[in-house]
Amino acid sequence: MREPMQPFVAALSVRDDLSAEEVRALHDLPIHLRSFQRGEEIVGDHTRPGRSSLVIDGTCGRVVQAREGRQITAVHVPGDFVDLHSLLLKVMDHSVVALSDCVVGSVPHGHVAGLCERHPHLGRLLWLSTVIDGAIQRSTIANIGRRSALQRLAHLVCELHTRLAVIGLASPNGFTCSFTQTDLGDILGLSAVHVNRTIRDLRHRKLLSWSGNQVLFSRFESLAAFADFDPTYLNLQKEPR
Amino acid sequence: MREPMQPFVAALSVRDDLSAEEVRALHDLPIHLRSFQRGEEIVGDHTRPGRSSLVIDGTCGRVVQAREGRQITAVHVPGDFVDLHSLLLKVMDHSVVALSDCVVGSVPHGHVAGLCERHPHLGRLLWLSTVIDGAIQRSTIANIGRRSALQRLAHLVCELHTRLAVIGLASPNGFTCSFTQTDLGDILGLSAVHVNRTIRDLRHRKLLSWSGNQVLFSRFESLAAFADFDPTYLNLQKEPR
DNA sequence: CGACTCATTGATTTAGCTCAAGTCTGGTGG
DNA sequence: CCACCAGACTTGAGCTAAATCAATGAGTCG
């Protein structure tokens, strides 16, 4: 079987060099795998998790439940920790749900803390990954707060494509998107109906094609220019951290 | 002169116990103070800061510049680090601007990193403060994505009051808000004109009074209920972290 | 087949935007 | 001391992007 930590190692390796020993330490973490069906709750709101969870396969989302409806505040792909912050926050301020059938691994908090102690550089990289989550959230705030539905959706497509490419899950001109239009609405702060019309509009403008769960574009650059997409916030540069 | 680190120590002390030695280590950090006028840029977008900055007095905001206008993705009050993440992110994905005249202290990254090494528990608390920023951003996404202008503004008032109270800058029934209505629009993803009408509406509903920069309410609970405000995300509980 | 869930489209409504004009304030200079 | 000016606030009128409501396909699974 493939190493479950592989996508996480891949994601870190894009941002900094890992020593062989560090890679080994990550693979040696006692990880408990579990499958979830689309729609299932992975971590509950207001709970106190004793473990941190990592997406191995599929996608999941962080859900803040407001009185007027749910908002998906972040989308996670393989290699992303979905609640690493619970190591410090203790009490969840949101829930995590499966947005597709997915496989999630979890590691007891004690082992994560131990890893940080024994490998301070890995500790910094775990900190880094929570801080990149924050950068993505800032971009999401700007996206929802300032851009039109058309640009919002285009921006999300650019981001997803870029993030999936990092872990080898995107082709040069597209990717597989398993979200329903209702999910997309909850991610973008739009109604499901309007998401549908917005996809149609993007298609009419020949910026992309979207049939079933296949998203394809002829030129990523056109889409990125239209969406005002600047990938700086994804921190894809290798730097000593 | 008052210790510049005092509001930061106060903010951490709400979340966990600090030893006398840890407090001393924080006060011993070489901090360089600088004043900024309202509107001045404190940290530039796409720069590589060599220091991390902390608000000592006044308020500032993190600004993501989109093609259609600026979005303020976070508001910071005394005791908040505005770019602690730059220790790991290296390149800024947004700028930081003064939203009122303010005093900001900055500490070289090397000293912050050294502090984390010598005092692992303080390191975890610095990590914690970046992670609380993330929690606040999630709440902002839900606020902008799902709530009406009226609730959005009410929610912001609840959050600001709660955060200012922690550092002793709020009275039980109100606080001083130095933002212009244009700033509020950029925080909430609304136009300045609509912010004006929304404030008027909140006044008519007797949820608060807002004259000059004094925000006052008769019952915080009424406002919080109206705004669907749940302070869990602010992590104001003392926990061993 | 029948009961889902998801996607699609039309008709209508509405929250919030834009444009425009005015007021009120504090600061500056003659 | 007062005229002027720049920012910020306020209000009105009209417009528009997106929401809501409603109906209908289309695919899937027990």
Side-chain angles (χ1 to χ4, degrees), chain B residues 211-234:
Chain B
S211 54
N213 49 18
Q214 290 306 307
V215 180
L216 293 169
F217 29 80
S218 39
R219 293 191 59 242
F220 181 81
E221 295 71 27
S222 315
L223 195 61
F226 177 79
D228 194 18
F229 177 71
D230 170 359
T232 304
Y233 70 100
L234 293 174

mmCIF file of all heavy atoms in Angstrom, chain B residues 211-234:
data_model
loop_
_atom_site.group_PDB
_atom_site.id
_atom_site.type_symbol
_atom_site.label_atom_id
_atom_site.label_comp_id
_atom_site.label_asym_id
_atom_site.label_seq_id
_atom_site.Cartn_x
_atom_site.Cartn_y
_atom_site.Cartn_z
ATOM 1 N N SER B 211 -22.367 57.232 17.855
ATOM 2 C CA SER B 211 -22.173 58.641 17.498
ATOM 3 C C SER B 211 -20.701 58.964 17.603
ATOM 4 O O SER B 211 -20.053 58.643 18.590
ATOM 5 C CB SER B 211 -23.019 59.549 18.394
ATOM 6 O OG SER B 211 -22.754 59.273 19.745
ATOM 7 N N GLY B 212 -20.205 59.599 16.544
ATOM 8 C CA GLY B 212 -18.769 59.832 16.449
ATOM 9 C C GLY B 212 -18.115 58.463 16.422
ATOM 10 O O GLY B 212 -18.523 57.596 15.647
ATOM 11 N N ASN B 213 -17.172 58.243 17.309
ATOM 12 C CA ASN B 213 -16.562 56.921 17.320
ATOM 13 C C ASN B 213 -16.938 56.126 18.578
ATOM 14 O O ASN B 213 -16.295 55.150 18.916
ATOM 15 C CB ASN B 213 -15.042 57.014 17.139
ATOM 16 C CG ASN B 213 -14.432 58.038 18.073
ATOM 17 O OD1 ASN B 213 -15.066 58.418 19.055
ATOM 18 N ND2 ASN B 213 -13.227 58.455 17.781
ATOM 19 N N GLN B 214 -18.022 56.562 19.236
ATOM 20 C CA GLN B 214 -18.471 55.832 20.413
ATOM 21 C C GLN B 214 -19.589 54.867 20.053
ATOM 22 O O GLN B 214 -20.658 55.283 19.592
ATOM 23 C CB GLN B 214 -18.983 56.812 21.488
ATOM 24 C CG GLN B 214 -17.875 57.642 22.121
ATOM 25 C CD GLN B 214 -16.748 56.778 22.678
ATOM 26 O OE1 GLN B 214 -16.993 55.871 23.462
ATOM 27 N NE2 GLN B 214 -15.518 57.036 22.228
ATOM 28 N N VAL B 215 -19.327 53.587 20.253
ATOM 29 C CA VAL B 215 -20.348 52.573 20.035
ATOM 30 C C VAL B 215 -20.866 52.141 21.398
ATOM 31 O O VAL B 215 -20.075 51.745 22.262
ATOM 32 C CB VAL B 215 -19.773 51.347 19.303
ATOM 33 C CG1 VAL B 215 -20.849 50.305 19.081
ATOM 34 C CG2 VAL B 215 -19.152 51.764 17.987
ATOM 35 N N LEU B 216 -22.169 52.238 21.596
ATOM 36 C CA LEU B 216 -22.760 51.872 22.881
ATOM 37 C C LEU B 216 -23.982 51.006 22.643
ATOM 38 O O LEU B 216 -24.721 51.206 21.686
ATOM 39 C CB LEU B 216 -23.199 53.131 23.638
ATOM 40 C CG LEU B 216 -22.072 54.064 24.117
ATOM 41 C CD1 LEU B 216 -22.642 55.381 24.608
ATOM 42 C CD2 LEU B 216 -21.269 53.367 25.225
ATOM 43 N N PHE B 217 -24.166 50.036 23.529
ATOM 44 C CA PHE B 217 -25.387 49.226 23.438
ATOM 45 C C PHE B 217 -25.950 49.089 24.836
ATOM 46 O O PHE B 217 -25.227 49.196 25.832
ATOM 47 C CB PHE B 217 -25.112 47.844 22.840
ATOM 48 C CG PHE B 217 -23.723 47.331 23.103
ATOM 49 C CD1 PHE B 217 -23.412 46.763 24.317
ATOM 50 C CD2 PHE B 217 -22.718 47.439 22.134
ATOM 51 C CE1 PHE B 217 -22.133 46.311 24.570
ATOM 52 C CE2 PHE B 217 -21.435 46.994 22.385
ATOM 53 C CZ PHE B 217 -21.142 46.416 23.622
ATOM 54 N N SER B 218 -27.268 48.875 24.929
ATOM 55 C CA SER B 218 -27.852 48.723 26.260
ATOM 56 C C SER B 218 -27.645 47.290 26.745
ATOM 57 O O SER B 218 -27.258 47.058 27.880
ATOM 58 C CB SER B 218 -29.333 49.091 26.242
ATOM 59 O OG SER B 218 -29.929 48.628 25.055
ATOM 60 N N ARG B 219 -27.906 46.335 25.853
ATOM 61 C CA ARG B 219 -27.725 44.936 26.261
ATOM 62 C C ARG B 219 -26.877 44.215 25.216
ATOM 63 O O ARG B 219 -27.330 43.985 24.093
ATOM 64 C CB ARG B 219 -29.074 44.224 26.422
ATOM 65 C CG ARG B 219 -29.909 44.781 27.591
ATOM 66 C CD ARG B 219 -31.107 43.893 27.884
ATOM 67 N NE ARG B 219 -30.711 42.526 28.232
ATOM 68 C CZ ARG B 219 -31.048 41.444 27.526
ATOM 69 N NH1 ARG B 219 -31.781 41.566 26.444
ATOM 70 N NH2 ARG B 219 -30.641 40.246 27.896
ATOM 71 N N PHE B 220 -25.671 43.817 25.619
ATOM 72 C CA PHE B 220 -24.806 43.079 24.713
ATOM 73 C C PHE B 220 -25.491 41.803 24.241
ATOM 74 O O PHE B 220 -25.378 41.418 23.077
ATOM 75 C CB PHE B 220 -23.473 42.736 25.398
ATOM 76 C CG PHE B 220 -22.510 41.997 24.516
ATOM 77 C CD1 PHE B 220 -21.733 42.684 23.586
ATOM 78 C CD2 PHE B 220 -22.394 40.615 24.581
ATOM 79 C CE1 PHE B 220 -20.857 42.006 22.752
ATOM 80 C CE2 PHE B 220 -21.521 39.932 23.750
ATOM 81 C CZ PHE B 220 -20.752 40.628 22.833
ATOM 82 N N GLU B 221 -26.230 41.176 25.135
ATOM 83 C CA GLU B 221 -26.864 39.895 24.816
ATOM 84 C C GLU B 221 -27.848 40.020 23.654
ATOM 85 O O GLU B 221 -27.923 39.139 22.800
ATOM 86 C CB GLU B 221 -27.608 39.331 26.047
ATOM 87 C CG GLU B 221 -26.702 38.962 27.210
ATOM 88 C CD GLU B 221 -26.102 40.184 27.914
ATOM 89 O OE1 GLU B 221 -26.737 41.270 27.868
ATOM 90 O OE2 GLU B 221 -24.996 40.065 28.460
ATOM 91 N N SER B 222 -28.608 41.138 23.624
ATOM 92 C CA SER B 222 -29.573 41.317 22.529
ATOM 93 C C SER B 222 -28.827 41.390 21.209
ATOM 94 O O SER B 222 -29.226 40.771 20.211
ATOM 95 C CB SER B 222 -30.353 42.615 22.695
ATOM 96 O OG SER B 222 -30.773 42.773 24.014
ATOM 97 N N LEU B 223 -27.739 42.158 21.225
ATOM 98 C CA LEU B 223 -26.958 42.336 20.009
ATOM 99 C C LEU B 223 -26.352 41.004 19.573
ATOM 100 O O LEU B 223 -26.400 40.633 18.401
ATOM 101 C CB LEU B 223 -25.855 43.362 20.282
ATOM 102 C CG LEU B 223 -25.149 43.960 19.087
ATOM 103 C CD1 LEU B 223 -26.129 44.706 18.206
ATOM 104 C CD2 LEU B 223 -24.036 44.900 19.544
ATOM 105 N N ALA B 224 -25.794 40.275 20.540
ATOM 106 C CA ALA B 224 -25.158 38.991 20.244
ATOM 107 C C ALA B 224 -26.173 38.000 19.683
ATOM 108 O O ALA B 224 -25.893 37.274 18.731
ATOM 109 C CB ALA B 224 -24.496 38.427 21.499
ATOM 110 N N ALA B 225 -27.373 37.997 20.251
ATOM 111 C CA ALA B 225 -28.415 37.089 19.770
ATOM 112 C C ALA B 225 -28.799 37.467 18.345
ATOM 113 O O ALA B 225 -28.917 36.616 17.464
ATOM 114 C CB ALA B 225 -29.632 37.139 20.686
ATOM 115 N N PHE B 226 -28.966 38.763 18.107
ATOM 116 C CA PHE B 226 -29.320 39.236 16.776
ATOM 117 C C PHE B 226 -28.245 38.853 15.763
ATOM 118 O O PHE B 226 -28.544 38.452 14.640
ATOM 119 C CB PHE B 226 -29.496 40.755 16.802
ATOM 120 C CG PHE B 226 -29.795 41.339 15.457
ATOM 121 C CD1 PHE B 226 -31.074 41.277 14.932
ATOM 122 C CD2 PHE B 226 -28.791 41.928 14.698
ATOM 123 C CE1 PHE B 226 -31.355 41.795 13.674
ATOM 124 C CE2 PHE B 226 -29.061 42.447 13.443
ATOM 125 C CZ PHE B 226 -30.352 42.383 12.926
ATOM 126 N N ALA B 227 -26.977 38.957 16.184
ATOM 127 C CA ALA B 227 -25.852 38.755 15.265
ATOM 128 C C ALA B 227 -25.456 37.289 15.141
ATOM 129 O O ALA B 227 -24.580 36.959 14.353
ATOM 130 C CB ALA B 227 -24.652 39.563 15.732
ATOM 131 N N ASP B 228 -26.079 36.421 15.948
ATOM 132 C CA ASP B 228 -25.715 34.996 15.896
ATOM 133 C C ASP B 228 -24.237 34.841 16.327
ATOM 134 O O ASP B 228 -23.479 34.077 15.744
ATOM 135 C CB ASP B 228 -25.919 34.491 14.457
ATOM 136 C CG ASP B 228 -25.913 32.980 14.336
ATOM 137 O OD1 ASP B 228 -26.097 32.302 15.350
ATOM 138 O OD2 ASP B 228 -25.709 32.493 13.203
ATOM 139 N N PHE B 229 -23.853 35.602 17.344
ATOM 140 C CA PHE B 229 -22.454 35.658 17.795
ATOM 141 C C PHE B 229 -22.172 34.579 18.829
ATOM 142 O O PHE B 229 -22.800 34.550 19.882
ATOM 143 C CB PHE B 229 -22.172 37.040 18.384
ATOM 144 C CG PHE B 229 -20.776 37.214 18.944
ATOM 145 C CD1 PHE B 229 -19.672 37.276 18.101
ATOM 146 C CD2 PHE B 229 -20.570 37.327 20.319
ATOM 147 C CE1 PHE B 229 -18.391 37.440 18.621
ATOM 148 C CE2 PHE B 229 -19.292 37.498 20.841
ATOM 149 C CZ PHE B 229 -18.205 37.551 19.995
ATOM 150 N N ASP B 230 -21.235 33.693 18.509
ATOM 151 C CA ASP B 230 -20.787 32.651 19.437
ATOM 152 C C ASP B 230 -19.269 32.819 19.593
ATOM 153 O O ASP B 230 -18.516 32.568 18.659
ATOM 154 C CB ASP B 230 -21.109 31.276 18.863
ATOM 155 C CG ASP B 230 -20.456 30.138 19.637
ATOM 156 O OD1 ASP B 230 -19.726 30.395 20.620
ATOM 157 O OD2 ASP B 230 -20.665 28.975 19.256
ATOM 158 N N PRO B 231 -18.810 33.245 20.786
ATOM 159 C CA PRO B 231 -17.395 33.616 20.936
ATOM 160 C C PRO B 231 -16.422 32.445 21.018
ATOM 161 O O PRO B 231 -15.234 32.671 21.241
ATOM 162 C CB PRO B 231 -17.387 34.419 22.234
ATOM 163 C CG PRO B 231 -18.548 33.915 23.002
ATOM 164 C CD PRO B 231 -19.579 33.483 22.009
ATOM 165 N N THR B 232 -16.891 31.228 20.796
ATOM 166 C CA THR B 232 -15.988 30.068 20.880
ATOM 167 C C THR B 232 -14.706 30.292 20.081
ATOM 168 O O THR B 232 -13.606 29.968 20.536
ATOM 169 C CB THR B 232 -16.690 28.801 20.352
ATOM 170 O OG1 THR B 232 -17.891 28.607 21.073
ATOM 171 C CG2 THR B 232 -15.790 27.575 20.503
ATOM 172 N N TYR B 233 -14.847 30.852 18.870
ATOM 173 C CA TYR B 233 -13.697 30.991 17.974
ATOM 174 C C TYR B 233 -12.635 31.931 18.510
ATOM 175 O O TYR B 233 -11.509 31.926 18.018
ATOM 176 C CB TYR B 233 -14.159 31.448 16.581
ATOM 177 C CG TYR B 233 -14.669 32.866 16.498
ATOM 178 C CD1 TYR B 233 -13.871 33.893 16.023
ATOM 179 C CD2 TYR B 233 -15.963 33.181 16.883
ATOM 180 C CE1 TYR B 233 -14.335 35.197 15.935
ATOM 181 C CE2 TYR B 233 -16.440 34.475 16.796
ATOM 182 C CZ TYR B 233 -15.624 35.473 16.325
ATOM 183 O OH TYR B 233 -16.092 36.765 16.236
ATOM 184 N N LEU B 234 -12.967 32.752 19.500
ATOM 185 C CA LEU B 234 -11.966 33.661 20.058
ATOM 186 C C LEU B 234 -11.078 32.958 21.083
ATOM 187 O O LEU B 234 -10.078 33.525 21.536
ATOM 188 C CB LEU B 234 -12.640 34.888 20.672
ATOM 189 C CG LEU B 234 -13.316 35.801 19.649
ATOM 190 C CD1 LEU B 234 -14.084 36.916 20.351
ATOM 191 C CD2 LEU B 234 -12.278 36.402 18.695
#
